[in-house]
Amino acid sequence: MEQSQSTEQKKEHLDFSDVVLTHKQWLKSVLGLGALEAKMWVTSSAQLLALVGGVVFLLITSWLLMIASAAALAWSYGFSLVGILLIATLVTLLSAAGLSYIAFVTLKSMNFTRTLDALIPDSQDEKSS
């Protein structure tokens, strides 16, 4: 009788050990897959960043060439070179001011107070609830 209980306990122990070993292997596989995905994400992000940098460089170059083309066209129609350069400078500064304003409005609207209030409610919110 005692021997059968002992054998049963050993069998349960072996079954539990097998389950633990299987779960450890599964967890190791999942973590390995997560690490592989993270490496792929970093590589893809670096490539994407390089591509975006190239696009930004080409857009800036196109903008400057567009201003230069307009200046050359204006000069061919007899406008003064100083006037052309002043107008090109003014257009560039106005464009920068417009982009700065858009960036300011975007940054101003990017507040996380709702998220913060959802995570950590104020004492007034708790009293009203």
Side-chain angles (χ1 to χ4, degrees):
M1 192 74 163
E2 286 181 23
Q3 188 176 6
S4 66
Q5 284 180 344
S6 174
T7 307
E8 219 173 275
Q9 286 177 348
K10 285 181 184 179
K11 185 176 180 185
E12 286 177 9
H13 180 68
L14 286 176
D15 289 344
F16 183 72
S17 296
D18 289 341
V19 169
V20 169
L21 182 63
T22 304
H23 277 82
K24 282 182 181 179
Q25 290 172 346
W26 173 80
L27 184 61
K28 185 177 178 181
S29 298
V30 169
L31 290 177
L33 182 62
L36 182 62
E37 287 285 334
K39 287 178 186 178
M40 289 172 53
W41 187 84
V42 167
T43 303
S44 298
S45 296
Q47 290 173 349
L48 183 63
L49 186 62
L51 289 172
V52 168
V55 168
V56 167
F57 177 75
L58 290 175
L59 286 173
I60 290 171
T61 304
S62 298
W63 173 250
L64 292 174
L65 286 172
M66 189 175 68
I67 291 174
S69 298
L73 184 65
W75 190 13
S76 71
Y77 282 112
F79 287 95
S80 72
L81 187 59
V82 174
I84 293 169
L85 291 177
L86 287 175
I87 290 173
T89 303
L90 182 65
V91 166
T92 304
L93 288 174
L94 287 175
S95 300
L99 287 175
S100 297
Y101 176 74
I102 291 171
F104 176 74
V105 168
T106 303
L107 284 174
K108 193 174 181 180
S109 69
M110 287 178 58
N111 60 8
F112 298 104
T113 55
R114 290 184 194 137
T115 306
L116 187 60
D117 289 342
L119 293 174
I120 306 170
D122 292 337
S123 59
Q124 296 172 353
D125 294 338
E126 291 175 358
K127 290 178 184 177
S128 65
S129 296

